Amino acid sequence: MKNQAALITIALVATGLSWSLFAADSQPKPKFTTKEIMKAINKGDDSICKKVTKGTASKEEIAKLVACYKELPLNEPPKGSAASWKEKSSALAKAAEALAKDEPGALEKFKQAVNCKACHSEHKPD
């Protein structure tokens, strides 16, 4: 009886471990780090982000913006809460996608979502 209980316990633990490993592997991995995204999209006076806010970005630049910003929510926040990071970075990704689709009001939504100070004050490491 004891052996049977021990075998059942081992089986349950092994099943739980395999499910947790499966769940961890099913999480998409980001293609770009947050630092890479910020450098590629936001850095400099001629950045894609600045071009977008001025209305001078090409379709290709907007596509690159979307591709990069969609990766942000997949990254861990450098500091601060994961929930806040997910909320802010997801809003930015959705606003970028709206730009690419040329949705009405997309530029204004993007300008609100790309509030650097709001995100940096909470998530950028010192």
Side-chain angles (χ1 to χ4, degrees):
M1 192 70 152
K2 284 185 179 181
N3 287 341
Q4 191 176 22
L7 287 175
I8 291 171
T9 301
I10 290 170
L12 288 172
V13 168
T15 301
L17 284 174
S18 65
W19 277 108
S20 66
L21 289 173
F22 174 76
D25 285 344
S26 68
Q27 297 295 327
K29 303 286 186 227
K31 295 175 190 167
F32 312 109
T33 66
T34 300
K35 194 172 199 168
E36 291 169 332
I37 294 166
M38 292 299 126
K39 187 175 182 180
I41 302 300
N42 294 58
K43 189 138 176 115
D45 290 333
D46 62 341
S47 69
I48 292 174
C49 183
K50 291 221 169 134
K51 287 180 182 180
V52 167
T53 58
K54 292 177 185 176
T56 61
S58 68
K59 292 280 185 192
E60 292 80 20
E61 289 170 323
I62 291 173
K64 183 177 180 179
L65 180 97
V66 170
C68 286
Y69 282 167
K70 284 174 72 174
E71 297 298 311
L72 272 179
L74 302 177
N75 282 285
E76 294 292 320
K79 76 172 198 180
S81 81
S84 170
W85 173 261
K86 189 74 128 179
E87 178 187 334
K88 286 175 173 56
S89 60
S90 294
L92 187 55
K94 286 178 186 173
E97 287 177 316
L99 278 171
K101 294 176 184 173
D102 216 10
E103 292 178 5
L107 184 56
E108 289 309 312
K109 288 179 188 173
F110 179 77
K111 286 179 180 180
Q112 286 180 332
V114 78
N115 181 344
C116 299
K117 184 171 174 56
C119 195
H120 285 190
S121 62
E122 189 169 345
H123 298 295
K124 187 176 180 186
D126 300 327

